[in-house]
Amino acid sequence: MITSLDNKILLAHLLRRAGFGCTYDQIEKLSLMEYDDVVDLLINPEYGPPKDQDLLDRYFIASVEARTARHADPQWTWRLAKSEKQLEEKIALFWHGLLAVGGIKLDHGLAMLEEIDLFRKYGLGKFETLLLKISEDPGMMYWLDNQNSHKDAPNENYGRELLELFSMGIDENGEGSYTEDDVKTAARAFTGWASRPTPPPFFLGPFPMEFSFDKSDHDNTEKTFLGEKGNFNGNDIVNMIATHPSTAKFICKRLYLYFVSEKEDWDEINKLSEVFLKNNGEIKKVLEAMFKSEHFKSDDIRFKKVKSPSDLVFGVSRLVDKYKIPDLDSAELAINTLLMGQFLMNPPSVEGWHEGEEWIDSGSLIERINYASTEISNTSSTGVKRIIEIIKETNITNSNDLINNTLETLGYIDITDKTKGMIEEHLRKNKFTNKEDKILDVLKLIVSTPDFQYC
Amino acid sequence: MVTTKLEYSHTIGIASFEGRGFMNPIDLKYKNGTLFVLSRSNASNKNNRISAVTVDSEHKYEFANWGEDKGKSILPTAIVFDKNDKLYLSDEHLNRISIFDYNGNFIDSWGEYGCDSGQLNRPSGLAFNKQNELFIVDHLNSRVQKFDEKGKFISSFGLFGTNEGEFNYPWGIALDIEENIYIADWRNNRVQIFDSNGNCVKIIKNFNDSEFNKPSSVHIDNRGYLFVSNWGNNSVIIFDDKQNYLSEIFGDASLSKWCQEFLDVNPEQSSWRENAGLFEEEKKFWKPAGIETNENLIFISDSCRHRIQIYRK
């Protein structure tokens, strides 16, 4: 039997993985619903601009005509920190890391924002639609040199990454379900797909990029792809690979690694692959099966995944509920993820980011601890005030009670007994002038622990 | 004679992080032959500044660059001259009004964050009346406050809401010759006109069978004509002195002298531009903001295109 407390613990876990976490009060509110109903709510966001879009544009006018990824930051970070449609942003971040376009080479913040929005709009739908849309994305075409792919001289860059990194994948031996000839055929099928030239941004700022198809530069001859013959174009290639069993396994593996665990569990991945194939590659169906599975809810999964810099920064900013309307601080949130190793809208390569333990080194760990402890100590933040208020209201008779209540108020988070013992020891050795100082000290200690780096 | 079509004159400006050029110009004022252009810039580049330029594209000097120190600014919103040729600058991050002389030398500053009378929460539009009293659109406090030139609070009007006389994230302000006060009531998609005591006397929501979309700035010229930056629709609407609609313009920019010089010395960029061929797109306003006029000309800050489009009256 699932108790009310169990339900809250599971909801907190779900929101940390399917989003960036939420406050104690938000969990209380959600706990009036069944867990499965919350999953259904998360996987069905209504697409549209945030209600504060006009304010973002007014206060950060340079992000409206974002010439670079850095100029575009205020637009995305606000939604990462504030959007109530958490999975919409989390899945956008997932696809941004998988169908990766590098902001430095593209050097077009407007195009990056368009791409992120494409992930919001199509990222939970059919994978085939998403793959087709990203193949028509002018930023992607430019990033992978497809404007240099001509019918008489195809450039294989997009065709290769489409198969190797975006859909079918390769195994640990470097082998895929496709051949080198399939890569060449895919490249031929995408000839003529490019981005329309835009004026340089150096005197009037950027102009929106647009997809263009040049029929005269498209290879319109018969091709052989994955053993089939036909006069295939890019749409046909996408159609043939989008629901291929190899694609199902590759995409479900990546979804599993991102949302569930850094350790591949092929029994679980295979189950998800079956859901993918049965539902024509509908991503939300895969996520529904994933989040509702007992495996996802198990103790083996909870607090075993390293938070990405975005998980940490936007999780903390949501926890402390610092921002009511866009301001200079919210506009610069991406600086924090950058210092922790994640340059939003500029993944390091077409492979995206290497996640898991690779996020942590001595430098990034210090940034993580400093950021979290600074924010949780800021008693002017609405969320910090509320956390202190909730803890003060509870019946606390000893240090153990204080620590447990604080963990619960921070979103039902877990720390090891060893860590708990160290905090108790600290509380024993130090005297506090008032209850609030003691609570603040415990808050700072908890967010500075290694345990807090996991979700 | 009422004219319904504005004649385009020329454009000044080029996107520039420093020196000659602008970075997201959002307000401007013309004084004694010089145009003062306020560049907003962004949080990461920190290139906000006030540039003093001529109508013939001569860059003279700049001031009020990025910083919290006196004489600096972080997120500037508006500028205005008082009757003694002192320039006042509002900063919505610092909640501060800074004062400079005509040459850009810092004189004084005042203002503090808060919601009590005389305190500020993201000041935006500025305007002086004939008594040299300063009106500040105190936009997150949903009110217009009046101060003397030293910053002493005099009075205020307005509160948050959508009813007559209420504001929803107001932005720009202008006074006509009778000292009626025009407010760009930005999120209410309207312009409200108040008498000098703060009583709402008229609301303009429509023009030519259309509705305003987030009007950012209002300006009254010496004929009493009203100019409204229809920020959300990338246009500027012109009304006569009785607020009868005259015309709507969407931008007619040609290459500025500075842009042409840039392209002349960067032939590869010029070729890139020619190849794109977006010449009609280049003409259009993108988030027009502050508007200014002199005897003969109308200046419109085209904030996302880093330039000032200039029309003849």
Side-chain angles (χ1 to χ4, degrees):
Chain A
M1 178 188 167
I2 295 201
T3 66
S4 168
L5 178 61
D6 288 339
N7 194 39
K8 288 174 187 173
I9 290 169
L10 288 179
L11 286 171
H13 169 58
L14 174 66
L15 266 295
R16 277 192 297 272
R17 297 297 183 84
F20 300 92
C22 52
T23 65
Y24 179 85
D25 289 334
Q26 287 166 335
I27 297 167
E28 286 292 304
K29 194 175 166 190
L30 285 172
S31 68
L32 299 174
M33 299 168 67
E34 295 293 329
Y35 176 92
D36 284 1
D37 292 338
V38 177
V39 171
D40 293 343
L41 190 69
L42 283 166
I43 63 174
N44 290 294
E46 188 180 337
Y47 172 76
K51 63 180 189 297
D52 295 326
Q53 184 63 58
D54 56 346
L55 294 181
L56 276 172
D57 293 351
R58 172 172 171 171
Y59 296 141
F60 298 101
I61 190 69
S63 69
V64 174
E65 52 96 25
R67 62 168 54 194
T68 68
R70 284 287 286 119
H71 285 82
D73 280 344
Q75 296 280 339
W76 195 18
T77 54
W78 181 252
R79 293 176 77 158
L80 287 163
K82 291 292 288 185
S83 173
E84 291 173 6
K85 298 176 282 183
Q86 291 217 42
L87 182 56
E88 190 178 68
E89 298 308 318
K90 192 84 179 223
I91 199 74
L93 186 58
F94 168 75
W95 292 120
H96 175 48
L98 180 61
L99 308 175
V101 171
I104 294 290
K105 176 181 171 183
L106 179 59
D107 201 23
H108 201 293
L110 277 179
M112 289 304 306
L113 288 175
E114 285 288 322
E115 192 197 298
I116 300 303
D117 206 47
L118 184 155
F119 295 146
R120 286 189 194 104
K121 192 170 185 181
Y122 301 104
L124 291 166
K126 280 179 71 176
F127 181 63
E128 181 180 347
T129 307
L130 176 66
L131 208 52
L132 184 59
K133 292 292 177 186
I134 199 68
S135 298
E136 293 173 343
D137 180 63
M140 176 63 84
M141 291 294 95
Y142 180 81
W143 159 245
L144 290 181
D145 306 314
N146 221 58
Q147 74 277 14
N148 298 327
S149 187
H150 307 289
K151 69 177 178 183
D152 298 328
N155 184 307
E156 292 169 12
N157 211 1
Y158 186 65
R160 183 175 304 283
E161 306 308 7
L162 177 69
L163 294 172
E164 183 179 326
L165 295 175
F166 297 170
S167 60
M168 300 177 78
I170 54 173
D171 61 24
E172 58 275 15
N173 300 317
E175 299 294 325
S177 303
Y178 57 90
T179 64
E180 186 65 17
D181 284 344
D182 289 325
V183 170
K184 290 176 180 169
T185 299
R188 286 170 56 207
F190 278 101
T191 50
W193 294 45
S195 61
R196 190 180 164 199
T198 58
F202 308 114
F203 60 105
L204 292 176
F207 287 76
M209 292 180 79
E210 290 177 21
F211 173 72
S212 71
F213 174 65
D214 183 354
K215 195 176 175 184
S216 67
D217 200 18
H218 175 64
D219 182 338
N220 202 27
T221 61
E222 187 172 86
K223 308 166 186 78
T224 302
F225 184 71
L226 298 179
E228 292 189 40
K229 282 186 192 304
N231 179 9
F232 302 131
N233 60 22
N235 299 51
D236 300 318
I237 298 295
V238 166
N239 177 263
M240 291 163 82
I241 61 178
T243 51
H244 192 282
S246 297
T247 299
K249 282 197 176 183
F250 178 77
I251 295 299
C252 289
K253 182 183 85 171
R254 293 297 298 260
L255 287 166
Y256 181 88
L257 294 174
Y258 182 79
F259 284 106
V260 185
S261 171
E262 289 139 14
K263 291 178 189 159
E264 295 171 11
D265 182 327
W266 277 101
D267 287 343
E268 294 299 322
I269 294 168
N270 286 333
K271 283 184 205 166
L272 297 174
S273 301
E274 285 171 23
V275 175
F276 182 100
L277 291 171
K278 191 178 162 190
N279 292 279
N280 295 315
E282 192 89 13
I283 300 299
K284 72 167 71 171
K285 293 289 183 188
V286 175
L287 295 183
E288 180 183 11
M290 179 191 287
F291 295 140
K292 290 181 179 176
S293 72
E294 291 307 312
H295 176 72
F296 177 75
K297 299 171 189 172
S298 70
D299 287 347
D300 293 340
I301 297 303
R302 289 190 303 113
F303 299 106
K304 301 292 191 297
K305 193 170 185 310
V306 175
K307 289 175 182 171
S308 71
S310 290
D311 286 329
L312 187 98
V313 169
F314 302 110
V316 168
S317 67
R318 283 170 181 269
L319 183 66
V320 303
D321 193 15
K322 188 176 182 181
Y323 308 110
K324 298 301 169 214
I325 59 171
D327 63 16
L328 196 62
D329 196 40
S330 71
E332 291 287 82
L333 274 170
I335 286 285
N336 297 296
T337 66
L338 174 60
L339 292 171
M340 297 171 199
Q342 190 171 30
F343 190 166
L344 287 172
M345 291 188 274
N346 188 37
S349 75
V350 69
E351 280 187 278
W353 290 282
H354 291 179
E355 308 226 4
E357 301 283 349
E358 287 194 45
W359 283 124
I360 308 279
D361 60 30
S362 54
S364 67
L365 184 59
I366 289 168
E367 293 294 342
R368 283 167 173 253
I369 292 169
N370 284 346
Y371 176 77
S373 62
T374 301
E375 292 300 324
I376 206 72
S377 312
N378 184 352
T379 52
S380 66
S381 296
T382 307
V384 177
K385 282 182 197 160
R386 179 68 185 136
I387 288 167
I388 293 169
E389 184 182 80
I390 293 166
I391 298 169
K392 274 183 170 176
E393 284 171 359
T394 53
N395 183 26
I396 293 169
T397 56
N398 55 44
S399 293
N400 192 45
D401 281 354
L402 175 60
I403 295 166
N404 287 333
N405 274 297
T406 306
L407 291 169
E408 195 168 289
T409 312
L410 285 171
Y412 297 91
I413 63 173
D414 268 2
I415 57 175
T416 63
D417 289 343
K418 185 182 172 191
T419 305
K420 203 178 281 184
M422 290 168 74
I423 297 173
E424 278 186 286
E425 181 68 15
H426 172 84
L427 293 175
R428 255 196 308 276
K429 286 181 179 171
N430 289 276
K431 296 224 179 298
F432 299 90
T433 52
N434 60 57
K435 196 173 179 181
E436 185 167 321
D437 282 352
K438 193 170 184 179
I439 293 169
L440 273 172
D441 210 50
V442 174
L443 285 171
K444 277 196 285 187
L445 284 169
I446 289 173
V447 303
S448 302
T449 61
D451 312 58
F452 192 73
Q453 305 307 321
Y454 292 84
C455 61
Chain B
M1 177 188 165
V2 173
T3 57
T4 57
K5 178 71 182 165
L6 290 183
E7 185 188 349
Y8 170 74
S9 172
H10 66 290
T11 290
I12 59 175
I14 185 171
S16 165
F17 290 121
E18 58 186 358
R20 190 180 84 160
F22 314 124
M23 188 51 57
N24 307 112
I26 57 160
D27 201 14
L28 71 176
K29 288 291 176 289
Y30 183 85
K31 196 74 177 178
N32 303 335
T34 297
L35 196 60
F36 292 82
V37 179
L38 175 62
S39 286
R40 167 84 166 191
S41 188
N42 70 337
S44 56
N45 285 103
K46 303 175 173 54
N47 306 110
N48 56 286
R49 60 197 187 268
I50 298 171
S51 306
V53 300
T54 68
V55 175
D56 297 325
S57 297
E58 180 195 345
H59 173 79
K60 296 168 79 173
Y61 51 89
E62 66 183 51
F63 55 99
N65 307 76
W66 173 273
E68 293 194 5
D69 294 344
K70 289 184 181 299
K72 303 290 185 183
S73 63
I74 300 288
L75 292 178
T77 44
I79 52 175
V80 67
F81 277 98
D82 74 357
K83 67 179 185 182
N84 300 313
D85 289 355
K86 289 178 187 168
L87 186 146
Y88 285 62
L89 163 73
S90 54
D91 186 315
E92 65 180 354
H93 177 73
L94 299 171
N95 292 297
R96 186 168 79 183
I97 306 298
S98 297
I99 308 162
F100 301 86
D101 69 16
Y102 183 84
N103 296 312
N105 299 306
F106 173 72
I107 298 171
D108 196 5
S109 63
W110 46 266
E112 63 174 2
Y113 168 78
C115 58
D116 292 338
S117 293
Q119 294 182 319
L120 301 168
N121 193 355
R122 297 203 188 186
S124 52
L126 302 173
F128 273 99
N129 65 12
K130 291 171 192 164
Q131 293 75 46
N132 216 33
E133 294 164 334
L134 176 64
F135 290 89
I136 300 176
V137 177
D138 183 16
H139 95 263
L140 284 194
N141 283 326
S142 305
R143 65 188 177 187
V144 176
Q145 296 202 75
K146 186 162 77 172
F147 297 83
D148 73 12
E149 63 195 277
K150 300 284 187 191
K152 184 182 171 194
F153 172 75
I154 299 171
S155 62
S156 75
F157 62 90
L159 70 162
F160 178 79
T162 57
N163 294 322
E164 180 179 304
E166 296 175 341
F167 298 124
N168 193 353
Y169 292 80
W171 188 338
I173 181 172
L175 269 59
D176 66 17
I177 197 160
E178 292 168 344
E179 305 222 315
N180 292 308
I181 303 157
Y182 295 62
I183 303 293
D185 191 5
W186 184 71
R187 231 182 188 183
N188 277 333
N189 297 311
R190 64 188 183 183
V191 173
Q192 294 200 73
I193 306 174
F194 299 83
D195 66 20
S196 56
N197 295 315
N199 303 304
C200 183
V201 294
K202 190 170 185 177
I203 294 175
I204 310 172
K205 294 190 76 165
N206 305 296
F207 62 93
N208 197 28
D209 296 329
S210 300
E211 293 180 345
F212 284 125
N213 185 1
K214 305 278 162 48
S216 60
S217 184
V218 283
H219 176 78
I220 315 286
D221 74 4
N222 56 0
R223 301 166 295 182
Y225 283 21
L226 168 65
F227 298 78
V228 182
S229 287
N230 201 22
W231 188 84
N233 273 10
N234 299 310
S235 68
V236 170
I237 324 292
I238 301 106
F239 301 85
D240 69 14
D241 58 345
K242 303 287 189 296
Q243 293 91 48
N244 298 306
Y245 166 78
L246 294 179
S247 64
E248 179 177 18
I249 54 174
F250 294 88
D252 295 274
S254 51
L255 280 182
S256 70
K257 182 182 171 189
W258 296 340
C259 284
Q260 189 60 61
E261 288 172 0
F262 169 82
L263 292 172
D264 288 347
V265 297
N266 292 283
E268 75 287 1
Q269 304 288 336
S270 184
S271 166
W272 190 357
R273 172 178 177 257
E274 292 292 327
N275 191 31
L278 296 180
F279 306 118
E280 286 303 311
E281 282 301 305
E282 287 183 5
K283 293 179 179 178
K284 295 176 183 171
F285 294 127
W286 195 3
K287 295 285 181 257
I291 300 173
E292 170 71 317
T293 52
N294 66 10
E295 283 300 310
N296 309 307
L297 300 170
I298 302 157
F299 307 95
I300 300 168
S301 54
D302 191 1
S303 64
C304 283
R305 287 277 171 241
H306 315 285
R307 64 191 175 190
I308 310 302
Q309 294 205 38
I310 304 174
Y311 290 80
R312 294 189 186 90
K313 276 183 172 174

